[in-house]
Amino acid sequence: VSTILIIDDDDQLRISFERLLKEEGYAVRTAASGEAGIRMIDDAIPDLVLLDVRLPGMSGLEAFKQIHRIESKLPVIIMTAFGTTETAIEATKMGAFDYVIKPFDVPQMLSTIRQALEAGRFMRSPVDMDASPDKIQGEAIIGKSPAMQEVYKAIGRVSATDATVLVRGESGSGKELVARALYQHSARSENPFW
Amino acid sequence: MTAKQEALTEAARLRDIAMAIIVTHVLLVMLLAYLLVYQILNPLRALLLETGRSDPVEVSGDVVQTLSQSVRGLIEDVGQTQVALEKSRENLLHSEKMAMVGKLAAGMAHSVRNPFTSVKMRLFSLSRSLKLSGTQKEDFDVISEEIDHIDTIVQNFLEFSRPPRLKMQAVSPSTVVDTAVKLLCYRLDSYNVKATIHRDRELPAVNADPDQFKEVLVNLVVNACEAMTGGGAIDIHERVLQTSTDRQQAEIRITDDGPGIPPAAVKKVFDPFLHHQGRRHGAGVEHCLPNHPRAWGARRSHLGEGRGTTFTIVLPIIGGNL
C-alpha cells in the first residue's frame, strides 16, 4: 500500500482529502504545517507528498526544499490556491513532480497521484539487464540474442553521457524499461526520474 | 596779483578739474561697459543658451527680447509639466488602488478555493458511493458545474487585478474594430442594436496589444448594448487627429444613443466594478483601459449628459510624431 502525506493548513481540506484517498486504497498521513510534515518524513519516508504552497510558518517552497534534501526521489505534488503559479513553477523546476491549482478536478488529481506514485516506484525498483530467469527480482530486460546484446551495449554507451536519448519501438516492446535502465545507469540516478 | 592773472589761474584750475572729470568719466564708462558685457550680457547669453536648449537660438540679436521669449516658453513648459505630473499622480493613485484590489483578490482566492476543493472531493466521494437516479445525477452535475463557475469568477477577479503581459505590435485600429464588431454580430442582434462603422480609410498602425485592444472595444460595445434597453444604435467613428504639436493620433469614438451615464456616476466610470441600477456600466471600461495603461498611448472620455454616451480612444500613430 502506498503511503501519501498531505501537508495543508486547511483542516477540512485535509480531512476530505484523507477520506478520498483512503477510499482509493492509499494509506494517508496528514500535517498542518511544513515543520510537522518534515518531522513525519524524517520518521518514515512516504511514497508521495501533497504539499500546499501557502502554509503558516515555513513556506511551502522552503518545505519542499527540505523534503528534497531528505529524499530527492520522493515525488511531491505542489498545490496552490492562487492563480499565480510562479512558486509552483519554481518548485517544479527544482524537482517537484507536478503542481495543481485548487480547486482541482478530482479524477484528474487522482490520475496525477497514480502517475507520481508510479514514477517513485520506477526510481526505486532497478531494471535488471540480461538476467537469467531464476535471478529476476522485479522488472528486467531479458534476452541473450545478438540484437538484445546490442541494446545492452547501447544503453551502457549512452547512459554515461549527457546526451538526450530518443527511445523508439513498437508498443509493448519495452521502451519504458530501457528508459529506466538508462536512468539507473546514468550519473543522474540520484536525481528524480520524471 | 592782478585780477586778470587771478582769472587765468582760475581758468587753468577749472580746465584741470574738467580734464580730471572727463578722464574719470571715460574710465567709469569703460568700467560700466566692462560690467555690462561681462557681468550682465554674458550671463544673459549663457542663460539664453540654457533656456533654449531644445532649439538653437540666435544669440546675436536682441538678447533681452530673445531671453524673454525663452522664459515665456519655459513657463509654458512648466505648465505642461504640471498637468503631466497631475496626471501621473492620478495614475499612481489608481495603481495603488489596483494593487489593493489585487491583494484582496489573492486573499479571497486562497480562502475561497480551499473550501471549494473540499466540496468537490466530498461530492466526488458521494457521487461514487451513491446509486443515483437520472435527476439526482443531474443535481450533482449542476452543483459541480456551478462550483467551477464560481471558481472562474474568482479566477477572473484575480486576473483583473493583475495586469496581463502585453504583446505589443503594430496594428491598425480599424482591423481591431472590424474584428470586435464581427465577433459581436450575434450579440448585437440579440440586443436589437445596430452598429455602424464610419471610416474614410483604414487608420494607420498604432502600437498596441491587439487582443487587449479588442477586449476594450468589445466591453465598450457590450456596455452600450446593456445600457440601451430595447435596442438602439452604436456609431463607431474613426479618424486621424492632427494635434498642435504636429503629432498624429488615431481616434476611435464609440457613441450610443442610450440614456447616458448619470452625472453622479460619471466620475466613477473608470472605477472597477461599477454597478448602476443593477447593470454593469463601468466594469468593462475599467477592465481594459486604465488597468493596462501601457497598452494605451492615450485615453479620453466624453461622457454625454442626458442622451447617449461617447467613449473616445486616442492612440499615437507609429511614426506620426514628427
Side-chain angles (χ1 to χ4, degrees), chain B residues 223 261-262 264-284 286:
Chain B
N223 274 0
I261 298 173
V266 165
K267 269 194 145 176
K268 293 182 176 172
V269 164
F270 291 103
D271 278 358
F273 300 109
L274 170 68
H275 287 249
H276 172 66
Q277 289 170 349
R279 281 203 173 279
R280 268 158 55 113
H281 247 296
E286 168 62 24

Side-chain angles (χ1 to χ4, degrees), chain A residues 12 16 23-24 81 84 102, chain B residues 113-114 118 122 128 162:
Chain A
Q12 186 52 55
S16 303
E23 282 169 15
E24 290 290 312
T84 42
K102 293 183 206 170
Chain B
R113 284 179 159 175
N114 275 328
S118 298
R122 295 283 173 161
R128 223 172 25 177
R162 197 173 47 230

Side-chain angles (χ1 to χ4, degrees), chain B residues 143-177:
Chain B
I143 292 170
S144 303
E145 273 167 32
E146 289 304 289
I147 288 169
D148 287 339
H149 187 187
I150 299 170
D151 186 54
T152 312
I153 294 169
V154 173
Q155 182 65 35
N156 285 344
F157 192 46
L158 266 179
E159 261 157 33
F160 163 81
S161 56
R162 197 173 47 230
R165 290 205 178 87
L166 293 169
K167 294 182 204 82
M168 304 293 268
Q169 64 183 73
V171 62
S172 164
S174 303
T175 319
V176 185
V177 168

Side-chain angles (χ1 to χ4, degrees), chain A residues 2-4 30 51 55 66 83 91 98 121 133 162 164 166-167 185:
Chain A
S2 302
T3 311
I4 299 173
T30 63
L51 176 66
L55 294 166
Q66 293 208 16
D98 205 349
R121 193 171 55 79
D162 272 341
T164 305
L166 172 68
V167 185
H185 287 88

Side-chain angles (χ1 to χ4, degrees), chain B residues 94-95 97-98 101 160-161 212 216 219-220 223 268-274 280-293 296 299 311:
Chain B
H94 189 266
S95 311
K97 255 195 260 175
M98 293 316 294
V101 173
F160 163 81
S161 56
Q212 297 295 328
V216 173
N219 281 325
L220 286 175
N223 274 0
K268 293 182 176 172
V269 164
F270 291 103
D271 278 358
F273 300 109
L274 170 68
R280 268 158 55 113
H281 247 296
V285 180
E286 168 62 24
H287 202 277
C288 284
L289 285 168
N291 193 24
H292 319 142
W296 300 92
R299 72 182 160 85
F311 279 97

Side-chain angles (χ1 to χ4, degrees), chain A residues 8-10 12-13 15-17 19-20 23-24 52 54 81-84 86 101-107 110, chain B residues 106-107 109-111 113-122 124-126 128-129 147-148 151 155 158 162 165:
Chain A
D8 197 304
D9 61 328
D10 189 291
Q12 186 52 55
L13 187 129
I15 298 164
S16 303
F17 218 158
R19 199 181 128 178
L20 176 75
E23 282 169 15
E24 290 290 312
D52 189 31
R54 189 146 113 168
F82 295 100
T84 42
E86 276 94 16
I101 296 168
K102 293 183 206 170
F104 39 75
D105 179 68
V106 178
L110 291 176
Chain B
H110 192 252
S111 341
R113 284 179 159 175
N114 275 328
F116 275 171
T117 314
S118 298
V119 169
K120 277 181 112 170
M121 288 190 291
R122 295 283 173 161
F124 182 81
S125 298
L126 205 59
R128 223 172 25 177
S129 57
I147 288 169
D148 287 339
D151 186 54
Q155 182 65 35
L158 266 179
R162 197 173 47 230
R165 290 205 178 87

